[in-house]
Amino acid sequence: MKSSEIRDKFSRFFESKGHKTLPGSSLVPTDPTVLLTLAGMLQFKPVFLGQEKPAHKRAATVQKCMRMNDIENVGVTPRHHTFFEMLGNFSFGDYFKKEAIQFAWELLTKEFKIPALKLKIAIYEKDDEAFEIWRKNIGLPKEIIYRLGEDNNFWSVGPTGPCGPCSEIYYDQGPAKGCGKPDCAPGCDCDRYLEIWNLVFISYNRNEKGELIPLKQKGIDTGLGLERIASVLQGVDDNFETDLFQPLIKAIDALKAESSPVSVRIIADHIRAVTHLISDGVFPANMGRGYVLRRLIRRAISHGKRLGITKPFLFDLSRVVVREMKDAYPQLAEKEKTIVAAIKEEEDNFFATLEQGMKWFAEAVKAHEQDKFLPGAEAFKLHDTYGFPIELTVELCLEKGLKVDLAGFEKEMEAQRERARQGHQAEKKTDLTSLDLSPFSPTNFTGYEKTAEETKVVGVFAAQKIVVLEKTPFYGESGGQIGDTGLLSWNKHEVRVLNTFISPKGVALHVVDDLSGLKPETKVRAVIDVSKRKTTEAHHTATHLLHRALRDLLGEHVKQAGSYVGPDKLRFDFSHFHSLSSEDLQKVEQVVNQKIAEKLKVEVLRKSYKAAQAMGATALFGEKYGDQVRVLKAGNYSLELCGGTHVRSTADILFFKIISESALGSGVRRIEAIAGQSAKVYAVFRAKSLRDEVESLIRKYRLLQVEKERLGGQKSLETNIFEIEVTELENIAKAVDNHDSNNVNKFLDHLLGRVDWLKERIAKAEREIEALKERAAQRSAGGYAAEAVEIGGVKVLFKEFKENNMDLLRTISDTLQEQFKSSILVFASVFPGRLIYLISVTPDLTGKFSAQTLANAFSAVVDGKGGGKDTKVEGGGKDPSKIKEGFEAVRKLIG
């Protein structure tokens, strides 16, 4: 039976039993207590806890799951995986143990036609009720019902949450697969008894103290592992021989040059996990889910290396996963381009350092093979310099017979974290960690509606110059938006609010420049800096428009990864795996400016979190939200959860201009932009500065043409074409006012192109002038020969030039040496405030004279230095006024 048939038969069976087939949830859970979805019941946790009413009393799902707790066994055993599919049926206060057991037995023995004699049962050792159901209702002999302890047969979704006793169904693979021990039975570590289905009787909630609190409404949560039941129904020895893995394994076999079945299996397992994680919006990073993804990719690459695969290959394997699983998970096909591109980017980055890292690792192993121990500092270097996850280093060392100093590694990691913390604190400047805020309630924030407020002081922290108010219009720094500044005034006194922070529990902290006279119960008038707030609001709303435009252009994989919103600019970090072209950036700009021109109404809706999700509001990835949230709605274009302050209409943003786009890290990009009046000024000022640069370059080009003519060259015919229009600033200003960023960019690109064009021609003219000077120098060299003098039987020429570069000095020197055959040449060229010099001695004279000795004497006089050989020294000096004195010092040495 194919895996697709198993999924289908499971769903149809439970539909016939009154269950509603529901879609499985994302691998990224909404539950903040777990990193990844590790069980089918996770999406129903609020229902089991009584926090939500179920839409259906009975449900069934096919749930993709991720577990990393036994990754070291993946590929080694026939049944361990990181990514797997769990077929589950659920009851929410409807049926309980009896029906759950009967459904499972019927599906396995009648629908899947597994012989009853091949099945064995395990129950929780204290669960007499389950024992009686299996014994009396199903009719099984007590000899095949095994009582196991809490470690085996008491299940929970995590350290806290719904839990309860369970009953497991095992498939007996026969004595040949067993350990041969007389007491071999379900729960044994050998491969004989394969656990295929776990029936969990949800009875309790385990709280943070570890206490089991009986649930008012009991439920059923079962998990039938697709990979395991497929191996049984397809008659193969292990999961990797099923149709779930065979297409991948064949594709890997076609790539490999070496043999390693374990590595092949690890790659096949990991690429399934990687493909589904990216499909669910996870991208490689150095922490959290992104780190799990990066670790899997790099682990798979390292195993590919062992197979002799020397170039990126995982991105191609992901296409096999999509092809094989898109019918069950259509989202894979929709996001295939994103998946492939993200994996390719990460592979390219890791392959760039992998070879160097492996070489360094080999050297480290060789250095420590005697003590069989890799120091923590060396393991940290592999992590920090070459990107090796510590788990990969441990695996590689294990193969070489070395242990890793994990304590030393962690010490190095903590030192790095501490450096990061110190850097963060240095940036933050205001240390809030030492404040005791327990006496204060959350501050009533009135700044959404007001810019001023009559209030009173409820707390003062003198050391930090911080004031706590009963209510405030000041926005506390959060969500990327900077804190408000402004004034506090009372009884003809006034202090400036330099910044505002918000504590995790909602207490607003106002940093002031002076605390004199401020104390609890002082009544004050709090007024924010309105102009600063308004420009900040323009940037914040523009950020939302930018986010939507990026998602529309690049794909729904784009997620906010950080932001800064202030009066000066906005900075937006987002998940994407390669740089944006200038065309892409211009498209984004144009879309944002179009939405500004449309004067969309910007409104805030207060909704429950679930209602906001149902509306399609975008939430920040990994952010925790309360039951009630603020939804920012910009027309019918943008819908996001946000607690910041915003303009009332997109028209208030005025204009939007992207300043830069760059990489923040692997898979994360950063855009910096400006909005409002500053964006308008920027565009006009940028055009003016470019126009000024064009005019300056034109003047320079014309002077070069004059110089070229003076040297005997031909004046360029291009000179006349500079008598052309230069884009008028009014055209830029008009385009800005019309929100026409396309024309703004066209004008700016025109000017940038003009600058580049002129620079090319200036460089060409400068090369032509140098060539003319060189030819002139060669012609003049004959005339210089007549100026040579004879000193002690040696021809010597002292010559001062004006602004001849070193190439010209070399040309003259080489020409004269050819003519003289035997000579000493001492040249100096004067520039404003400096000089360069060249001293050469023909080889026949080096036994008596050294150019280095002569140069030392010259340099000492002109405050210079140089370098070279006995035949030639080139150098420079700081005092051109003493050239003649320098010549005289050389003359004395010659004789």
Side-chain angles (χ1 to χ4, degrees):
M1 191 181 293
K2 292 182 178 178
S3 54
S4 57
E5 295 177 66
I6 297 171
R7 292 190 196 99
D8 185 56
K9 189 177 283 288
F10 177 87
S11 296
R12 282 190 285 108
F13 173 81
F14 278 101
E15 283 173 1
S16 73
K17 303 297 183 183
H19 291 65
K20 175 68 175 177
T21 299
L22 298 175
S25 59
S26 166
L27 286 173
V28 179
T30 55
D31 186 337
T33 66
V34 289
L35 191 66
L36 294 163
T37 297
L38 63 150
M41 69 81 62
L42 199 62
Q43 66 169 303
F44 304 118
K45 183 177 173 182
V47 175
F48 283 120
L49 289 174
Q51 297 168 348
E52 292 180 10
K53 289 185 178 180
H56 310 278
K57 286 288 188 179
R58 301 181 178 195
T61 63
V62 177
Q63 177 64 56
K64 51 191 178 183
C65 302
M66 276 283 298
R67 294 181 190 171
M68 299 290 288
N69 56 309
D70 49 11
I71 189 174
E72 68 280 354
N73 291 321
V74 171
V76 178
T77 75
R79 64 181 82 169
H80 283 93
H81 305 290
T82 55
F83 172 88
F84 57 95
E85 293 175 82
M86 192 66 77
L87 313 179
N89 59 287
F90 306 90
S91 165
F92 309 113
D94 187 16
Y95 63 82
F96 200 47
K97 294 181 184 180
K98 178 182 174 182
E99 293 86 348
I101 289 171
Q102 288 174 331
F103 291 154
W105 190 255
E106 182 181 347
L107 179 62
L108 292 176
T109 59
K110 293 184 179 179
E111 298 294 323
F112 290 155
K113 301 188 186 312
I114 298 174
L117 292 174
K118 297 290 287 182
L119 300 175
K120 300 290 186 288
I121 309 301
I123 62 170
Y124 179 47
E125 59 189 355
K126 298 178 183 178
D127 194 348
D128 295 333
E129 182 184 0
F131 179 86
E132 290 302 318
I133 294 170
W134 282 113
R135 179 75 184 87
K136 294 180 179 179
N137 294 80
I138 305 301
L140 299 185
K142 62 182 181 181
E143 290 78 19
I144 68 166
I145 306 171
Y146 298 83
R147 292 179 183 264
L148 299 179
E150 186 170 334
D151 289 346
N152 280 284
N153 279 76
F154 196 95
W155 195 90
S156 60
V157 71
T160 62
C163 56
C166 59
S167 183
E168 296 170 315
I169 304 174
Y170 289 81
Y171 179 79
D172 186 353
Q173 300 190 94
K177 289 280 186 180
C179 57
K181 296 177 182 177
D183 60 347
C184 183
C188 182
D189 289 334
C190 73
D191 289 334
R192 175 169 179 174
Y193 296 101
L194 177 66
E195 179 199 336
I196 55 175
W197 206 339
N198 190 9
L199 314 177
V200 183
F201 312 128
I202 300 293
S203 310
Y204 307 99
N205 176 40
R206 192 191 304 271
N207 63 21
E208 293 181 353
K209 296 178 181 178
E211 300 167 333
L212 294 176
I213 311 299
L215 292 171
K216 293 179 181 179
Q217 180 177 278
K218 296 180 180 180
I220 291 295
D221 156 33
T222 83
L224 172 65
L226 178 61
E227 292 77 12
R228 295 188 180 189
I229 193 65
S231 71
V232 171
L233 297 179
Q234 293 174 20
V236 293
D237 286 340
D238 65 51
N239 299 356
F240 290 97
E241 294 177 11
T242 67
D243 68 337
L244 290 164
F245 289 94
Q246 279 302 297
L248 275 169
I249 288 175
K250 288 175 182 176
I252 298 166
D253 284 341
L255 296 171
K256 70 180 186 182
E258 307 292 336
S259 178
S260 174
V262 170
S263 290
V264 170
R265 291 175 169 209
I266 287 172
I267 294 168
D269 171 273
H270 287 9
I271 191 58
R272 285 176 14 118
V274 164
T275 302
H276 280 278
L277 279 170
I278 297 173
S279 171
D280 281 347
V282 180
F283 290 90
N286 288 328
M287 59 185 296
R289 303 177 186 98
Y291 177 72
V292 172
L293 175 61
R294 174 163 286 165
R295 177 184 171 192
L296 289 170
I297 291 174
R298 294 186 171 184
R299 194 168 187 259
I301 291 171
S302 69
H303 280 279
K305 189 97 172 161
R306 297 176 203 185
L307 295 174
I309 303 174
T310 57
K311 61 182 181 180
F313 66 100
L314 290 176
F315 72 98
D316 259 340
L317 289 181
S318 70
R319 293 190 174 106
V320 179
V321 178
V322 172
R323 184 189 73 211
E324 295 297 321
M325 302 188 77
K326 65 183 179 183
D327 290 340
Y329 302 99
Q331 180 179 332
L332 291 174
E334 296 167 10
K335 299 194 174 181
E336 181 173 8
K337 288 184 180 178
T338 297
I339 294 165
V340 170
I343 297 173
K344 182 67 162 60
E345 176 82 6
E346 184 69 10
E347 280 194 282
D348 287 342
N349 291 340
F350 190 45
F351 262 97
T353 58
L354 178 62
E355 192 168 343
Q356 288 180 303
M358 291 301 287
K359 285 180 182 176
W360 190 88
F361 173 74
E363 292 172 4
V365 168
K366 188 175 181 180
H368 298 284
E369 59 186 350
Q370 295 298 323
D371 50 17
K372 303 290 184 184
F373 193 71
L374 187 73
E378 311 237 4
F380 179 75
K381 183 174 181 180
L382 276 170
H383 165 82
D384 198 45
T385 306
Y386 301 107
F388 281 41
I390 184 60
E391 300 85 0
L392 176 57
T393 302
V394 170
E395 284 184 28
L396 292 171
C397 283
L398 191 62
E399 292 176 3
K400 302 292 183 181
L402 274 70
K403 288 186 177 181
V404 179
D405 175 17
L406 293 176
F409 171 82
E410 186 54 38
K411 183 178 179 181
E412 296 285 343
M413 284 294 293
E414 183 53 38
Q416 186 186 63
R417 293 187 198 107
E418 181 58 32
R419 288 192 294 272
R421 280 193 290 268
Q422 289 175 356
H424 180 67
Q425 286 300 326
E427 287 179 9
K428 197 97 175 175
K429 295 180 182 176
T430 303
D431 181 14
L432 307 178
T433 58
S434 61
L435 304 182
D436 179 13
L437 301 176
S438 57
F440 305 106
S441 301
T443 307
N444 178 13
F445 175 62
T446 62
Y448 291 131
E449 300 83 21
K450 297 180 177 181
T451 58
E453 184 66 77
E454 303 295 334
T455 182
K456 69 176 181 179
V457 176
V458 294
V460 173
F461 293 93
Q464 294 84 2
K465 290 188 176 179
I466 285 176
V467 175
V468 181
L469 302 176
E470 184 178 48
K471 54 184 177 178
T472 184
F474 285 80
Y475 183 84
E477 181 180 311
S478 61
Q481 181 173 332
I482 68 164
D484 276 330
T485 60
L487 296 172
L488 298 181
S489 58
W490 75 104
N491 297 335
K492 298 182 180 181
H493 294 284
E494 192 174 77
V495 298
R496 287 188 300 149
V497 176
L498 305 176
N499 206 344
T500 309
F501 298 98
I502 192 81
S503 79
K505 292 188 177 179
V507 180
L509 307 168
H510 307 78
V511 182
V512 298
D513 64 342
D514 185 10
L515 279 174
S516 302
L518 275 178
K519 57 185 179 180
E521 299 302 320
T522 302
K523 292 182 178 180
V524 297
R525 178 173 174 78
V527 182
I528 68 169
D529 183 333
V530 177
S531 62
K532 181 179 176 183
R533 165 76 82 81
K534 284 189 176 299
T535 53
T536 300
E537 288 176 341
H539 281 125
H540 202 159
T541 308
T543 302
H544 286 250
L545 300 181
L546 170 63
H547 191 186
R548 182 69 260 171
L550 287 168
R551 286 169 70 86
D552 287 345
L553 176 68
L554 305 177
E556 293 297 311
H557 67 277
V558 169
K559 297 280 196 307
Q560 181 175 335
S563 69
Y564 163 86
V565 178
D568 53 333
K569 65 178 178 180
L570 68 87
R571 185 176 65 233
F572 186 71
D573 303 333
F574 59 99
S575 54
H576 191 53
F577 17 83
H578 53 73
S579 63
L580 276 68
S581 67
S582 59
E583 291 80 8
D584 285 340
L585 292 172
Q586 288 188 16
K587 284 178 186 176
V588 170
E589 258 188 23
Q590 182 62 16
V591 169
V592 174
N593 280 301
Q594 178 60 38
K595 298 306 171 187
I596 293 170
E598 289 174 10
K599 301 180 180 179
L600 302 177
K601 181 181 179 181
V602 178
E603 53 188 324
V604 173
L605 312 175
R606 297 183 184 276
K607 299 282 183 180
S608 70
Y609 180 64
K610 283 214 170 275
Q613 283 184 310
M615 291 173 65
T618 302
L620 289 187
F621 191 60
E623 189 78 7
K624 297 178 185 177
Y625 294 96
D627 293 335
Q628 293 295 311
V629 293
R630 296 176 85 245
V631 181
L632 186 85
K633 184 175 184 288
N636 292 321
Y637 183 64
S638 174
L639 197 67
E640 292 191 43
L641 304 189
C642 185
T645 63
H646 292 272
V647 297
R648 303 298 174 88
S649 165
T650 58
D652 298 333
I653 300 173
L654 300 181
F655 192 65
F656 174 80
K657 187 79 184 77
I658 293 175
I659 304 302
S660 67
E661 189 270 349
S662 60
L664 188 60
S666 179
V668 181
R669 309 296 303 179
R670 168 171 287 178
I671 282 178
E672 292 197 358
I674 50 177
Q677 191 63 35
S678 58
K680 296 178 69 171
V681 170
Y682 171 86
V684 175
F685 181 80
R686 179 72 173 134
K688 183 179 184 305
S689 64
L690 285 171
R691 189 181 74 168
D692 291 346
E693 187 174 4
V694 167
E695 292 176 339
S696 174
L697 290 171
I698 288 173
R699 288 193 295 273
K700 182 175 181 179
Y701 186 82
R702 285 175 173 159
L703 288 173
L704 289 172
Q705 294 302 318
V706 172
E707 174 71 359
K708 196 162 71 170
E709 279 190 304
R710 187 185 67 78
L711 292 168
Q714 187 174 1
K715 186 177 180 181
S716 172
L717 296 176
E718 292 176 332
T719 306
N720 293 332
I721 71 172
F722 294 122
E723 305 296 340
I724 61 172
E725 91 296 340
V726 177
T727 305
E728 294 297 328
L729 299 184
E730 298 80 49
N731 291 340
I732 287 275
K734 184 177 179 182
V736 168
D737 288 338
N738 290 332
H739 309 100
D740 187 357
S741 62
N742 276 352
N743 266 328
V744 171
N745 286 320
K746 184 177 78 173
F747 294 141
L748 292 177
D749 288 346
H750 171 79
L751 288 170
L752 280 167
R754 181 70 58 192
V755 167
D756 291 340
W757 189 80
L758 281 166
K759 285 180 176 178
E760 285 178 10
R761 272 140 188 84
I762 285 171
K764 180 184 175 185
E766 287 174 338
R767 290 194 297 271
E768 290 171 345
I769 287 170
E770 291 305 317
L772 288 169
K773 284 183 176 180
E774 188 172 338
R775 287 197 292 272
Q778 288 174 332
R779 288 194 301 270
S780 301
Y784 301 147
E787 300 177 32
V789 295
E790 193 167 300
I791 303 173
V794 177
K795 279 193 176 297
V796 183
L797 174 60
F798 295 95
K799 185 68 180 175
E800 181 179 332
F801 301 92
K802 184 178 181 182
E803 296 189 0
N804 273 13
N805 61 27
M806 190 61 74
D807 284 338
L808 291 178
L809 297 186
R810 292 186 194 115
T811 297
I812 297 169
S813 174
D814 292 344
T815 302
L816 286 173
Q817 281 195 338
E818 280 290 318
Q819 186 172 343
F820 285 142
K821 305 299 182 187
S822 179
S823 63
I824 296 175
L825 306 176
V826 185
F827 297 161
S829 184
V830 179
F831 295 86
R834 67 184 182 91
L835 67 98
I836 60 173
Y837 69 82
L838 182 151
I839 298 175
S840 62
V841 176
T842 52
D844 64 302
L845 298 176
T846 54
K848 188 175 181 181
F849 303 104
S850 166
Q852 293 186 77
T853 302
L854 300 179
N856 289 340
F858 184 77
S859 290
V861 176
V862 299
D863 189 15
K865 60 181 178 180
K869 304 176 182 178
D870 286 338
T871 55
K872 186 193 290 185
V873 173
E874 297 175 358
K878 299 177 183 178
D879 192 348
S881 67
K882 294 187 176 179
I883 286 177
K884 287 186 171 47
E885 293 178 37
F887 285 168
E888 186 59 34
V890 175
R891 185 190 299 273
K892 288 179 180 178
L893 285 178
I894 296 172

